[in-house]
Amino acid sequence: DKDLKAILAAVTPKLIADDINTAAEQLDSLLYEYFAERCGTQRLERPARARPGTAPPARPKQDQWMLDELEQQRTYARPAGSSSTSAHNRINRQAKKLRRTVARNDQQLKVEQERRKFKQNPHEYAAGVFRPKSDKKPTFTKATADAFFASTYEDKQRSRPYGAPPGLPRPAAPRLEFNQRPPSEDEIGEIIRRKPNRSAPGLSGITYVVFKRCESARTKLCEIIQHVWNTSIVPRAWQLASIILIAKSDQLDLPKEFRPIALLNVAGKVFFSIVNKRLESYMIGNGYINLAVQKAF
């Protein structure tokens, strides 16, 4: 970490104050070059997720034994070349009734199995449910993708100021003030610590692991975040994303059949996580969000 600290000294407080864009880009560049030279590069591959319900639940041995026994009895109750006997018909009815019971038990077992999977890891379970149907790559050009997604997600009124709709009751004055103090190193470190190690990096190629394990990198990131907080100038590198297209169907020649996923640089995500956490505390602390009614976003 001493060598890295000496290298990162190039990102000086003066550079951060004079040109935050260059400072942020230089931090990413120095970190990437340092670890690429010493550790090499590797494409981050996620382990394949099994879709919920793909593995059949284990059927109770007693149910399976009873089905096998009835099948054997049915065979003995109907001699070869003869019509169905009363015993054979009776066993058929018993087998049919047992199959219905077994089917209900299997369904209940499957439901319980899925409920247990969900409780163990709700996020992983949801990712399996909404896993893309195809991992194939698009066959259209980048120019086609740029034109389609730019027109689809363009917001020409993005800068338009919005006011409260007429007649909408105004909320009460806040009891708690929004925390506007620059984030401390401890607060930034806690945000980084909670981030997943295998989170995909953005254009910088830097993952959270770098900032978790290298104090000098974390310290330099803190200086940049605190400057961004004080000046309200977000670095250009934090506004750019790598777009991954995930196929929703097998129509690989149509951009509309792909879902775009934006991968942002982790340095910027740390900053916006702080904003999100403080905004959440402000809204909930002042009773502006009813947790009994409002969920998710």
Side-chain angles (χ1 to χ4, degrees):
D1 198 57
K2 291 182 179 179
D3 293 340
L4 181 59
K5 184 176 181 179
I7 292 173
L8 296 182
V11 186
T12 63
K14 186 177 186 306
L15 177 61
I16 294 175
D18 293 344
D19 191 348
I20 190 62
N21 287 319
T22 301
E25 292 171 2
Q26 191 168 352
L27 175 63
D28 288 339
S29 178
L30 291 173
L31 287 174
Y32 184 87
E33 292 174 1
Y34 177 85
F35 287 102
E37 179 182 348
R38 288 161 177 77
C39 307
T41 59
Q42 181 179 2
R43 183 179 181 85
L44 185 64
E45 299 290 348
R46 292 181 178 275
R49 294 188 177 100
R51 291 181 64 85
T54 52
R59 175 179 293 170
K61 292 183 179 180
Q62 183 179 3
D63 289 350
Q64 188 62 51
W65 179 84
M66 291 179 65
L67 278 175
D68 294 341
E69 181 70 16
L70 282 173
E71 186 64 31
Q72 189 176 16
Q73 290 182 21
R74 186 174 63 171
T75 302
Y76 292 147
R78 182 179 180 180
S82 65
S83 60
S84 298
T85 64
S86 58
H88 181 268
N89 292 335
R90 176 176 54 79
I91 294 175
N92 267 344
R93 290 193 296 271
Q94 292 177 352
K96 186 176 181 180
K97 182 178 180 181
L98 179 59
R99 277 193 292 269
R100 288 198 298 265
T101 301
V102 169
R104 286 195 299 269
N105 292 342
D106 285 349
Q107 181 62 25
Q108 292 175 0
L109 189 64
K110 183 178 179 180
V111 169
E112 182 58 32
Q113 184 185 54
E114 297 302 313
R115 183 181 293 112
R116 187 162 52 249
K117 288 181 180 179
F118 175 78
K119 289 182 177 180
Q120 288 176 350
N121 193 329
H123 297 290
E124 188 74 14
Y125 186 91
V129 172
F130 298 108
R131 187 182 63 174
K133 297 181 180 179
S134 173
D135 295 328
K136 298 179 181 178
K137 297 181 179 180
T139 58
F140 48 82
T141 64
K142 180 179 181 300
T144 301
D146 290 342
F148 174 79
F149 290 112
S151 61
T152 301
Y153 294 103
E154 182 183 17
D155 184 2
K156 296 181 179 180
Q157 297 184 338
R158 183 174 182 177
S159 300
R160 174 186 170 185
Y162 288 89
L168 184 69
R170 303 301 298 153
R175 301 186 303 273
L176 304 175
E177 294 185 356
F178 184 81
N179 183 3
Q180 301 186 51
R181 294 190 303 272
S184 65
E185 291 192 19
D186 289 341
E187 183 179 5
I188 296 172
E190 180 62 18
I191 291 291
I192 294 174
R193 187 184 68 81
R194 292 177 175 272
K195 295 297 184 180
N197 291 344
R198 293 188 61 83
S199 180
L203 291 169
S204 67
I206 304 298
T207 66
Y208 290 113
V209 177
V210 171
F211 297 108
K212 286 184 177 185
R213 298 187 178 180
C214 300
E215 184 179 358
S216 56
R218 190 166 59 250
T219 299
K220 192 61 65 174
L221 177 61
C222 289
E223 294 177 14
I224 292 177
I225 287 178
Q226 289 168 351
H227 178 81
V228 171
W229 187 276
N230 289 327
T231 62
S232 300
I233 300 176
V234 178
R236 180 174 54 249
W238 296 2
Q239 303 176 47
L240 301 177
S242 173
I243 304 298
I244 305 298
L245 297 181
I246 299 179
K248 297 186 290 185
S249 71
D250 291 329
Q251 293 181 284
L252 305 179
D253 58 333
L254 299 177
K256 68 178 182 178
E257 293 300 321
F258 284 81
R259 182 171 71 251
I261 303 296
L263 304 179
L264 294 164
N265 286 351
V266 299
K269 290 164 70 174
V270 171
F271 172 79
F272 291 114
S273 293
I274 296 171
V275 176
N276 176 74
K277 185 177 179 181
R278 292 191 177 186
L279 183 60
E280 178 184 7
S281 298
Y282 174 80
M283 297 295 288
I284 295 176
N286 287 299
Y288 296 152
I289 292 180
N290 185 352
L291 296 180
V293 178
Q294 294 170 272
K295 303 294 182 182
F297 304 101

